[in-house]
Amino acid sequence: MKATTCSDAAPFPAGTEPPMTPETIKVACSNCNLRELCMPVGLQPAELERIDEIVATRRKVKRREALFHNGERFTSLYAIRTGVFKTCITAEDGRDQVTGFQMAGEIIGLDGIVSEHHTCDAVALEDSEVCVMPFDRIEELSREVTALQRHVHKIMSREIVREHGVMLLLGSMRAEERLAVFLLNLVQRLHARGFSQSELVLRMTREEIGSYLGLKLETVSRTLSKFVEDGIVAVQQRHVRIVDADKLKRIVNPPAC
Amino acid sequence: MKATTCSDAAPFPAGTEPPMTPETIKVACSNCNLRELCMPVGLQPAELERIDEIVATRRKVKRREALFHNGERFTSLYAIRTGVFKTCITAEDGRDQVTGFQMAGEIIGLDGIVSEHHTCDAVALEDSEVCVMPFDRIEELSREVTALQRHVHKIMSREIVREHGVMLLLGSMRAEERLAVFLLNLVQRLHARGFSQSELVLRMTREEIGSYLGLKLETVSRTLSKFVEDGIVAVQQRHVRIVDADKLKRIVNPPAC
DNA sequence: CGCCGCATTGACGTTCGTCAAGTCTAGTGG
DNA sequence: CCACTAGACTTGACGAACGTCAATGCGGCG
């Protein structure tokens, strides 16, 4: 059985408009099949029409290419249409830290608002496509469409809450717990996008996983191997099948005493 | 010499209005001396007047008391007027993680926007006072006052960027670096509020510092002791004097090779 | 004055990082 | 189509950093 992943046969058809020239395509959120992931729900038809004004263009980003770089001027937020990204910051001494992995329907670029410049790199882990949403347009429209204003606030708040969770993970969990949390989170997000609950393809290297989880790549590899020994997952390179989800959850939440 | 701290003789006089009844005092941002810390700058007089509508009341919070609890319904953001808070989340198994320490002029409660419920506890580390800013009022007004809208976005983005920094710290720094970063950050923020560049009073326990930095309290204590041995700081209980700021900075950023 | 919470310090153990060797796979070019 | 190579991954041996456990010290408050 072939693992379904974000880039393999998507549960939603990939395109909703007829074929066009690759760059600077005019697009509409109103009939985008990812709408329920990245846009507010319960909009009036008139509002929905206005929301379409937000997305200026789409942009394709090839594997290993950056959507934006640290230091670059901030102009837009990006909604991921297809593909997977990592965001990472780099310390002065060269150490870098993956701050997140983002997939279809998720928004990147929020870090740039405060200083008008991006403070991290966003790099595609596979060939990807994003909707470019100029931020001044978002601000303008969210003054008029209350639901959009609320939605923007929620997206930012959600990111803050997510990061709190990562801080808990990095601050107080052991390697096995970190990896278990990571796998469960990934598979849950993929499932929300119509993919398998038990199979996934890692789009990132062991080193990138390690960077995100505050571990060295060898520790990630060893911990995965231990999960395999314990019959919790089956691993073949980047293909992971969760064999015993309960055991995996018990690593995170040991049975109450 | 007595260390100046957030609660000792403040560089700005504590009150800007005549004495009133302790709870539910009507207040004005327009003549608050913390304005440049928590409000947008460059407002028109008319806008400034409208901003005053945001703060509904003030609220005093005693040491160890919570401003809000995890799970509580979210209604308002809070601007700290005096005092210091910690925010912390608790995992199912009881472990908890301090996600930040906040002081005068900083905003807490952003975590609650996404789900309409707070996802962390905010606890005063000393007797404190906050301005209560009902969020629906903020949203309403920020539809009309562009500078406020932009400001709200920046505050949230700033929190996201701050947390990226904490992730870097937790994910890849050693105990000495973490503590050095922590002390430098604290003293820098206090300095921005008119306090000493070299002296501070820790309002939190070693355990709380450890929780924030992903270390055990013993490690915090030992690392502080090492800093004292190395002539970097002088410590007496919670009073810390930075003796050699350069050495402290060199722990974070070792000289380039 | 005595108690209690907080902090310090030491001895020891565990976890994870480091270094190194070796394997596997996907991608490239002949 | 196949051989080659570079990058990714695995595994082992060892060591360092930090956690754990425990004893003790110190200060503030009732």
Side-chain angles (χ1 to χ4, degrees), chain B residues 25-84:
Chain B
I25 302 171
K26 279 283 170 197
V27 291
C29 297
S30 50
N31 60 349
C32 174
N33 41 40
L34 287 169
R35 178 160 35 98
E36 57 265 31
L37 282 172
C38 64
M39 277 293 133
V41 293
L43 287 178
Q44 305 298 321
E47 291 176 328
L48 203 51
E49 206 169 299
R50 304 226 44 198
I51 296 277
D52 284 345
E53 299 168 25
I54 291 180
V55 175
T57 59
R58 289 206 204 138
R59 188 173 143 194
K60 288 184 189 297
V61 186
K62 282 219 155 55
R63 186 170 135 90
R64 287 167 206 276
E65 280 180 6
L67 174 59
F68 55 77
H69 277 292
N70 177 21
E72 218 167 88
R73 187 149 194 92
F74 165 79
T75 60
S76 305
L77 297 180
Y78 304 92
I80 303 178
R81 246 183 88 75
T82 62
V84 178

Coordinates of all heavy atoms in Angstrom, one line a residue, chain B residues 25-84:
Chain B
I25 N -11.2 51.7 38.2 CA -10.9 53.1 38.0 C -11.0 53.5 36.6 O -10.4 52.8 35.8 CB -9.5 53.4 38.6 CG1 -9.5 53.0 40.1 CG2 -9.2 54.9 38.4 CD1 -8.1 53.1 40.6
K26 N -11.6 54.5 36.2 CA -11.5 55.0 34.8 C -10.2 55.6 34.6 O -9.7 56.4 35.4 CB -12.7 56.0 34.5 CG -14.0 55.4 34.3 CD -14.1 54.8 32.9 CE -15.4 54.0 32.7 NZ -15.3 53.1 31.5
V27 N -9.5 55.2 33.5 CA -8.2 55.7 33.3 C -8.0 56.2 31.8 O -8.9 56.0 31.0 CB -7.2 54.6 33.5 CG1 -7.1 54.2 35.0 CG2 -7.5 53.4 32.6
A28 N -6.9 56.9 31.6 CA -6.7 57.5 30.3 C -5.3 57.1 29.8 O -4.3 57.3 30.5 CB -6.8 59.0 30.3
C29 N -5.2 56.5 28.6 CA -3.9 56.2 28.0 C -3.2 57.5 27.6 O -2.0 57.6 27.6 CB -4.1 55.3 26.8 SG -4.8 53.7 27.2
S30 N -4.0 58.4 27.3 CA -3.4 59.6 26.6 C -2.4 60.4 27.5 O -1.5 61.0 27.0 CB -4.6 60.6 26.2 OG -5.5 60.8 27.3
N31 N -2.6 60.2 28.8 CA -1.6 60.9 29.7 C -0.9 59.9 30.6 O -0.4 60.2 31.6 CB -2.2 62.0 30.5 CG -3.3 61.5 31.4 OD1 -3.7 60.3 31.2 ND2 -3.8 62.3 32.3
C32 N -0.9 58.6 30.1 CA -0.2 57.6 30.9 C 1.3 57.6 30.5 O 1.7 57.8 29.4 CB -0.7 56.2 30.5 SG 0.2 54.8 31.3
N33 N 2.1 57.5 31.5 CA 3.6 57.6 31.3 C 4.2 56.4 30.7 O 5.3 56.3 30.3 CB 4.3 58.1 32.5 CG 3.8 57.4 33.7 OD1 3.5 56.2 33.7 ND2 3.7 58.1 34.8
L34 N 3.4 55.3 30.6 CA 3.9 54.1 29.9 C 3.4 54.1 28.5 O 3.7 53.1 27.8 CB 3.3 52.9 30.7 CG 3.9 52.6 32.0 CD1 3.1 51.5 32.7 CD2 5.4 52.1 31.9
R35 N 2.8 55.1 28.0 CA 2.2 55.1 26.7 C 3.2 54.7 25.6 O 2.8 53.8 24.8 CB 1.7 56.5 26.4 CG 1.0 56.7 25.0 CD 0.1 57.9 25.0 NE 0.6 58.9 25.8 CZ 1.3 60.0 25.4 NH1 1.6 60.1 24.1 NH2 1.7 60.9 26.2
E36 N 4.4 55.2 25.6 CA 5.3 54.9 24.5 C 5.7 53.4 24.5 O 6.2 53.0 23.5 CB 6.5 55.8 24.6 CG 7.3 55.8 25.9 CD 6.9 56.9 26.8 OE1 5.7 57.3 26.8 OE2 7.7 57.3 27.6
L37 N 5.5 52.8 25.6 CA 5.8 51.3 25.7 C 4.6 50.5 25.1 O 4.9 49.5 24.4 CB 6.1 50.9 27.1 CG 7.5 51.2 27.6 CD1 7.6 50.9 29.1 CD2 8.5 50.5 26.9
C38 N 3.4 50.8 25.4 CA 2.3 49.9 25.0 C 1.4 50.5 24.0 O 0.6 49.7 23.4 CB 1.6 49.3 26.2 SG 0.7 50.5 27.2
M39 N 1.5 51.7 23.6 CA 0.6 52.3 22.6 C 1.4 52.7 21.4 O 2.6 53.0 21.5 CB -0.2 53.5 23.2 CG -1.4 53.1 24.0 SD -2.6 52.4 23.0 CE -3.0 50.9 23.9
P40 N 0.7 52.9 20.3 CA 1.4 53.3 19.0 C 1.8 54.8 19.2 O 1.2 55.5 20.0 CB 0.3 53.2 18.0 CG -1.0 53.1 18.7 CD -0.7 52.5 20.0
V41 N 2.9 55.1 18.5 CA 3.3 56.5 18.6 C 2.8 57.3 17.3 O 2.4 56.7 16.4 CB 4.9 56.6 18.7 CG1 5.4 56.0 20.0 CG2 5.5 55.9 17.5
G42 N 2.9 58.6 17.4 CA 2.6 59.4 16.3 C 1.1 59.5 16.0 O 0.7 59.7 14.9
L43 N 0.3 59.4 17.1 CA -1.2 59.4 16.8 C -1.6 60.9 16.8 O -1.0 61.8 17.4 CB -1.9 58.8 18.0 CG -1.9 57.3 18.1 CD1 -2.6 56.8 19.4 CD2 -2.5 56.7 16.9
Q44 N -2.7 61.1 16.0 CA -3.3 62.4 16.0 C -4.0 62.6 17.4 O -4.5 61.6 18.0 CB -4.4 62.5 14.9 CG -3.9 62.2 13.5 CD -2.8 63.2 13.1 OE1 -2.9 64.4 13.3 NE2 -1.8 62.7 12.4
P45 N -4.2 63.9 17.8 CA -4.9 64.1 19.1 C -6.2 63.5 19.1 O -6.6 62.9 20.2 CB -4.9 65.6 19.1 CG -3.8 66.1 18.3 CD -3.6 65.1 17.2
A46 N -7.0 63.5 18.0 CA -8.3 63.0 18.0 C -8.2 61.4 18.2 O -9.1 60.8 18.9 CB -9.0 63.3 16.7
E47 N -7.2 60.8 17.6 CA -7.1 59.4 17.7 C -6.7 59.0 19.1 O -7.2 58.0 19.7 CB -6.0 58.9 16.7 CG -6.4 59.0 15.3 CD -5.2 58.6 14.3 OE1 -4.1 58.8 14.7 OE2 -5.5 58.0 13.3
L48 N -5.8 59.8 19.7 CA -5.4 59.6 21.0 C -6.5 59.6 22.0 O -6.6 58.7 22.9 CB -4.4 60.7 21.4 CG -3.4 60.3 22.5 CD1 -2.7 59.0 22.3 CD2 -2.4 61.5 22.7
E49 N -7.5 60.5 21.7 CA -8.6 60.6 22.6 C -9.5 59.3 22.5 O -10.0 58.8 23.5 CB -9.5 61.8 22.1 CG -10.3 62.4 23.2 CD -10.9 63.7 22.8 OE1 -10.1 64.7 22.5 OE2 -12.1 63.8 22.7
R50 N -9.6 58.8 21.3 CA -10.4 57.5 21.1 C -9.7 56.3 21.7 O -10.4 55.5 22.2 CB -10.5 57.3 19.6 CG -11.1 58.4 18.8 CD -12.2 58.0 17.9 NE -13.1 57.0 18.5 CZ -13.9 56.3 17.8 NH1 -13.9 56.3 16.5 NH2 -14.7 55.4 18.4
I51 N -8.4 56.3 21.7 CA -7.6 55.2 22.3 C -8.0 55.1 23.8 O -8.0 54.0 24.4 CB -6.1 55.5 22.2 CG1 -5.7 55.4 20.7 CG2 -5.3 54.4 23.0 CD1 -5.5 54.1 20.2
D52 N -8.3 56.2 24.4 CA -8.6 56.2 25.8 C -9.8 55.3 26.1 O -10.0 54.8 27.2 CB -9.0 57.6 26.3 CG -7.7 58.4 26.5 OD1 -6.6 57.8 26.6 OD2 -7.8 59.6 26.7
E53 N -10.7 55.1 25.1 CA -11.9 54.3 25.3 C -11.5 52.8 25.5 O -12.3 52.0 25.9 CB -12.8 54.4 24.0 CG -13.3 55.8 23.8 CD -13.9 55.9 22.4 OE1 -14.4 54.9 21.9 OE2 -14.0 57.0 21.8
I54 N -10.3 52.4 25.1 CA -9.9 51.0 25.1 C -9.9 50.5 26.6 O -10.5 49.4 26.8 CB -8.6 50.8 24.5 CG1 -8.7 51.0 23.0 CG2 -8.1 49.3 24.8 CD1 -7.4 50.8 22.3
V55 N -9.3 51.2 27.4 CA -9.1 50.7 28.8 C -10.4 50.9 29.6 O -10.8 52.0 29.8 CB -7.9 51.4 29.5 CG1 -7.8 51.0 30.9 CG2 -6.6 51.2 28.8
A56 N -11.0 49.7 29.9 CA -12.2 49.8 30.6 C -12.0 50.1 32.1 O -12.6 51.0 32.6 CB -12.9 48.4 30.5
T57 N -11.1 49.4 32.7 CA -10.8 49.5 34.1 C -9.4 49.2 34.4 O -8.7 48.7 33.5 CB -11.7 48.5 34.9 OG1 -11.4 47.2 34.5 CG2 -13.2 48.7 34.7
R58 N -9.0 49.4 35.6 CA -7.7 48.8 36.0 C -8.0 47.7 37.0 O -9.1 47.6 37.6 CB -6.9 49.8 36.7 CG -6.3 50.8 35.7 CD -5.1 51.4 36.3 NE -4.9 52.7 35.6 CZ -4.5 53.8 36.3 NH1 -4.2 53.7 37.6 NH2 -4.3 54.9 35.6
R59 N -7.0 46.8 37.2 CA -7.2 45.8 38.1 C -5.9 45.5 38.9 O -4.9 45.4 38.2 CB -7.7 44.5 37.4 CG -8.1 43.4 38.3 CD -8.6 42.2 37.4 NE -8.2 40.9 38.0 CZ -8.4 39.8 37.4 NH1 -8.8 39.7 36.2 NH2 -8.0 38.7 38.0
K60 N -6.0 45.4 40.2 CA -4.9 45.1 41.0 C -4.8 43.6 41.2 O -5.8 42.9 41.4 CB -5.0 45.8 42.3 CG -4.8 47.3 42.3 CD -4.8 47.9 43.7 CE -4.8 49.4 43.7 NZ -3.7 50.0 43.0
V61 N -3.6 43.1 41.1 CA -3.4 41.6 41.3 C -2.3 41.5 42.3 O -1.2 42.0 42.1 CB -3.0 40.9 40.0 CG1 -2.9 39.4 40.2 CG2 -4.0 41.2 38.9
K62 N -2.6 40.8 43.4 CA -1.6 40.6 44.4 C -0.6 39.5 44.0 O -0.9 38.6 43.2 CB -2.3 40.2 45.7 CG -3.0 41.3 46.5 CD -2.8 41.1 48.0 CE -2.8 42.4 48.8 NZ -4.1 43.1 48.5
R63 N 0.6 39.6 44.6 CA 1.6 38.6 44.5 C 1.0 37.2 44.6 O 0.2 36.9 45.5 CB 2.7 38.8 45.6 CG 3.9 38.0 45.5 CD 4.9 38.5 46.6 NE 5.5 37.5 47.4 CZ 6.7 36.9 47.0 NH1 7.3 37.2 45.9 NH2 7.2 36.0 47.8
R64 N 1.4 36.3 43.7 CA 1.0 34.9 43.7 C -0.5 34.7 43.2 O -0.9 33.6 42.9 CB 1.0 34.2 45.1 CG 2.5 33.9 45.5 CD 2.5 33.5 47.0 NE 3.8 33.8 47.6 CZ 4.8 33.0 47.5 NH1 4.7 31.8 46.9 NH2 6.0 33.3 48.1
E65 N -1.2 35.8 43.0 CA -2.5 35.6 42.5 C -2.5 35.6 41.0 O -1.6 36.1 40.3 CB -3.4 36.8 42.9 CG -4.0 36.7 44.3 CD -4.8 37.9 44.7 OE1 -5.1 38.8 43.8 OE2 -5.2 38.0 45.9
A66 N -3.5 35.0 40.4 CA -3.6 34.9 38.9 C -4.4 36.0 38.3 O -5.5 36.3 38.9 CB -4.2 33.5 38.5
L67 N -3.9 36.5 37.3 CA -4.7 37.5 36.5 C -5.8 36.7 35.7 O -6.9 37.2 35.6 CB -3.8 38.3 35.6 CG -4.4 39.2 34.6 CD1 -5.3 40.3 35.3 CD2 -3.4 39.9 33.7
F68 N -5.4 35.6 35.1 CA -6.3 34.7 34.5 C -5.7 33.3 34.6 O -4.5 33.1 34.8 CB -6.7 35.1 33.1 CG -5.5 35.3 32.2 CD1 -4.8 34.1 31.6 CD2 -5.1 36.5 31.8 CE1 -3.8 34.3 30.8 CE2 -4.0 36.7 31.0 CZ -3.3 35.6 30.5
H69 N -6.6 32.3 34.4 CA -6.2 30.9 34.5 C -6.4 30.2 33.1 O -7.3 30.6 32.4 CB -7.1 30.2 35.5 CG -6.5 30.3 36.9 ND1 -5.3 29.8 37.3 CD2 -7.1 31.0 38.0 CE1 -5.1 30.1 38.6 NE2 -6.2 30.8 39.0
N70 N -5.7 29.2 32.9 CA -5.9 28.3 31.8 C -7.4 27.8 31.8 O -7.9 27.5 32.8 CB -5.0 27.1 31.9 CG -5.2 26.1 30.8 OD1 -5.8 26.4 29.8 ND2 -4.8 24.9 31.1
G71 N -8.0 27.9 30.6 CA -9.4 27.5 30.5 C -10.4 28.6 30.7 O -11.6 28.4 30.2
E72 N -10.0 29.6 31.4 CA -11.0 30.7 31.6 C -11.4 31.4 30.3 O -10.6 31.5 29.4 CB -10.2 31.8 32.5 CG -11.0 32.4 33.5 CD -10.1 33.2 34.5 OE1 -9.8 34.3 34.2 OE2 -9.7 32.6 35.5
R73 N -12.6 31.9 30.3 CA -13.0 32.6 29.0 C -12.2 33.9 28.8 O -11.9 34.6 29.7 CB -14.5 33.0 29.1 CG -15.1 33.5 27.9 CD -16.5 33.2 27.7 NE -16.9 33.4 26.3 CZ -16.9 32.5 25.3 NH1 -16.5 31.3 25.6 NH2 -17.3 32.8 24.1
F74 N -11.8 34.0 27.5 CA -11.0 35.2 27.1 C -12.0 36.4 26.8 O -12.9 36.2 26.0 CB -10.2 34.9 25.9 CG -9.6 36.1 25.2 CD1 -8.5 36.7 25.7 CD2 -10.2 36.6 24.0 CE1 -8.0 37.8 25.0 CE2 -9.7 37.7 23.4 CZ -8.6 38.3 23.9
T75 N -11.7 37.5 27.4 CA -12.5 38.7 27.1 C -11.6 39.9 26.8 O -11.9 40.7 26.0 CB -13.4 39.1 28.2 OG1 -12.6 39.4 29.4 CG2 -14.4 38.0 28.6
S76 N -10.4 39.9 27.4 CA -9.6 41.1 27.4 C -8.2 40.9 27.2 O -7.7 39.8 27.7 CB -9.8 41.9 28.7 OG -11.2 42.2 28.9
L77 N -7.5 41.8 26.7 CA -6.0 41.8 26.8 C -5.7 42.7 28.0 O -6.5 43.5 28.5 CB -5.4 42.4 25.6 CG -5.6 41.6 24.3 CD1 -4.9 42.3 23.1 CD2 -5.1 40.2 24.5
Y78 N -4.5 42.5 28.6 CA -4.1 43.3 29.7 C -2.8 44.0 29.5 O -1.8 43.3 29.0 CB -4.0 42.4 31.0 CG -5.2 41.6 31.2 CD1 -5.4 40.3 30.7 CD2 -6.3 42.1 32.0 CE1 -6.6 39.6 30.9 CE2 -7.4 41.4 32.2 CZ -7.6 40.2 31.7 OH -8.8 39.5 31.9
A79 N -2.7 45.3 29.8 CA -1.4 46.0 29.7 C -0.9 46.1 31.1 O -1.7 46.6 32.0 CB -1.6 47.4 29.1
I80 N 0.3 45.7 31.4 CA 0.8 45.8 32.7 C 1.2 47.2 33.0 O 1.9 47.9 32.3 CB 2.0 44.9 32.9 CG1 1.6 43.4 32.5 CG2 2.6 45.0 34.3 CD1 2.8 42.5 32.6
R81 N 0.7 47.7 34.1 CA 1.0 49.1 34.6 C 2.2 49.1 35.6 O 3.2 49.8 35.4 CB -0.2 49.7 35.2 CG -0.7 50.9 34.5 CD -1.9 51.6 35.2 NE -1.4 52.6 36.1 CZ -1.0 53.8 35.8 NH1 -0.9 54.1 34.5 NH2 -0.6 54.7 36.6
T82 N 2.0 48.2 36.5 CA 3.1 48.0 37.5 C 3.2 46.6 37.8 O 2.3 45.8 37.7 CB 2.9 48.8 38.8 OG1 1.7 48.2 39.4 CG2 2.7 50.3 38.6
G83 N 4.4 46.1 38.2 CA 4.6 44.8 38.6 C 5.2 43.9 37.5 O 5.5 44.3 36.4
V84 N 5.3 42.6 37.9 CA 5.8 41.6 37.0 C 4.9 40.3 37.0 O 4.5 40.0 38.1 CB 7.3 41.2 37.4 CG1 7.8 40.1 36.5 CG2 8.2 42.4 37.4

